[in-house]
Amino acid sequence: MISGMIDLVEEFEKKLEIASSLRDRLGEDAEAAERDPHSRRLPRPCGLTIHTGIGCKFGCLYCYIWDMGFRGEPRAYPLSGLQLAYAIASNPAVALGRNGTLLAYGSVTEPFMDVSKERSFEYLSAVAKLLGNPIQLSTKAYLSSEDVSRLKELVGYGSFLVTIISLSMSRLLEPNAPSPDRRFETIGNLRKAGFHTCLFLRPILPGIGLNEFREILEKAYGFGVCGVVLGSLRVTRGIIDRLRAAGYPGLGEILDRIPRNPSGGEQITIRSSDLKQRVAEIAKDLGIEIYPSACAASIAAHGLGCWACRFGPCGDREAIPDFEPADLIELARRFKLKIHSLRIEEPKVFLKVDGDIRMVKRFKEFVKALIKRELVIG
């Protein structure tokens, strides 16, 4: 558990020192890391997304990455582990260390595909040793006991999300992914090693019956799962077309739940609060912890506390750190910003800030990661 007072300016200075040290170690190879999107991408609610590969071979019909331009043969991400660590450390929006920005592996690719598996191990090792940020990995892969032992040696702890959304239609929906049975084995192997492991029921697809969701949850419970994260389906025009071409029987209900038709690669979340509630009731009946979001599972896995959004407080509320308001004013100056007013109404911090809008966004994400509270900037 992390608690007590956090010195925001000190954390900023440490980050600069780490980034400078990594740049010196890289020499000319630092330039590729500085040009890489990891060095400037803003964190999402789940954390800073880490790409271990480009593209994915699993071919899941409900996946949106095909409409984001990730086409062609999947391949490992081009940066070395040291370059990735430097790219993350040099990102102005990222706070480093155990209480820093959450890192989320697996958002637009499968970390443990055969073409990117070794790169994933390399990245995890480098980031764990050099930066120490909380890590979360989402996967559909089969991880053997040997794979998990290697993960344990490299990172020691972490949050894992294992996706299983259907038993009866997995081959239709996820044609090249390992079978659900193999993924249940992955859950078991991770739990035996002591990793915080959750079932990732995302997306919950209309057309899959509640009895099937119950069976998935019962099996996951039998393999020792720590909890479940429920997520809604996001559709694009391409996803609708792929589901239609495959003859997915729940497509009609999906279309009924779309608030409006997507255009191009636009992603639209379907209405599914009723489905999530029904599945949540099954999980509750089985005694399975329900996490409101992926980041909530990561917070719990790392012994942290967070109240930065409407889902909170998540994790250990006593682990949410305190901070000196004066540090915010000084830290803003380091970001070339000026705070005109500051008001704290727990769990929110209200600021009026002048300065470049891009730097304001970076400042907001950096501070929010450290103080684990919502920042409202006017």
Side-chain angles (χ1 to χ4, degrees), residues 24-173:
D24 289 344
R25 289 176 61 179
L26 282 167
E28 293 181 357
D29 291 338
E31 294 180 6
E34 291 167 347
R35 292 192 301 267
D36 189 82
H38 288 94
S39 70
R40 58 183 181 274
R41 184 188 303 124
L42 288 177
R44 300 178 60 81
C46 61
L48 182 71
T49 52
I50 306 299
H51 301 344
T52 61
I54 299 171
C56 182
K57 73 172 187 177
F58 287 173
C60 302
L61 302 187
Y62 54 81
C63 185
Y64 46 78
I65 71 166
W66 315 112
D67 305 295
M68 296 172 63
F70 292 91
R71 298 181 180 275
E73 286 296 314
R75 60 192 187 278
Y77 204 76
L79 296 184
S80 69
L82 187 60
Q83 284 176 313
L84 177 77
Y86 172 55
I88 294 170
S90 63
N91 187 326
V94 173
L96 303 184
R98 180 75 182 276
N99 197 57
T101 303
L102 305 180
L103 302 182
Y105 295 73
S107 64
V108 297
T109 188
E110 166 54 56
F112 299 106
M113 289 185 299
D114 50 5
V115 298
S116 60
K117 187 174 182 178
E118 286 303 316
R119 185 55 48 86
S120 295
F121 283 129
E122 179 185 358
Y123 284 1
L124 288 165
S125 177
V127 170
K129 291 176 182 177
L130 300 171
L131 308 182
N133 287 56
I135 64 163
Q136 183 173 74
L137 296 97
S138 57
T139 183
K140 294 187 184 83
Y142 169 68
L143 295 179
S144 68
S145 57
E146 290 77 15
D147 292 329
V148 173
S149 293
R150 189 174 175 189
L151 285 168
K152 191 69 176 178
E153 181 181 348
L154 293 178
V155 301
Y157 62 90
S159 170
F160 279 82
L161 305 176
V162 181
T163 301
I164 304 169
I165 67 161
S166 176
L167 303 178
S168 63
M169 288 185 279
S170 63
R171 197 48 56 208
L172 173 72
L173 294 167

Side-chain angles (χ1 to χ4, degrees), residues 134-303:
I135 64 163
Q136 183 173 74
L137 296 97
S138 57
T139 183
K140 294 187 184 83
Y142 169 68
L143 295 179
S144 68
S145 57
E146 290 77 15
D147 292 329
V148 173
S149 293
R150 189 174 175 189
L151 285 168
K152 191 69 176 178
E153 181 181 348
L154 293 178
V155 301
Y157 62 90
S159 170
F160 279 82
L161 305 176
V162 181
T163 301
I164 304 169
I165 67 161
S166 176
L167 303 178
S168 63
M169 288 185 279
S170 63
R171 197 48 56 208
L172 173 72
L173 294 167
E174 305 159 333
N176 302 318
S179 70
D181 284 341
R182 295 293 267 175
R183 286 179 252 171
F184 283 121
E185 290 181 35
T186 294
I187 292 174
N189 289 336
L190 288 165
R191 289 298 298 131
K192 287 175 186 176
F195 284 109
H196 190 281
T197 309
C198 288
L199 173 66
F200 205 21
L201 247 175
R202 179 189 177 196
I204 295 176
L205 282 176
I208 297 174
L210 289 179
N211 287 338
E212 186 165 346
F213 287 128
R214 177 177 286 276
E215 187 177 356
I216 293 170
L217 286 161
E218 286 176 344
K219 286 189 174 184
Y221 181 79
F223 279 91
V225 78
C226 296
V228 61
V229 177
L230 308 175
S232 301
L233 173 68
R234 285 184 283 170
V235 296
T236 61
R237 189 73 252 167
I239 288 172
I240 293 171
D241 292 343
R242 289 191 289 275
L243 290 172
R244 180 179 287 115
Y248 178 65
L251 179 59
E253 187 178 350
I254 290 173
L255 295 176
D256 289 341
R257 291 173 174 272
I258 300 175
R260 58 185 174 80
N261 289 326
S263 59
E266 180 187 17
Q267 299 175 26
I268 296 181
T269 303
I270 72 168
R271 292 185 289 265
S272 59
S273 58
D274 59 324
L275 296 177
K276 291 171 74 172
Q277 181 59 37
R278 291 172 197 160
V279 177
E281 288 171 359
I282 296 172
K284 185 177 179 181
D285 183 56
L286 293 170
I288 298 175
E289 180 81 17
I290 302 164
Y291 291 101
S293 60
C295 54
S298 188
I299 289 292
H302 294 90

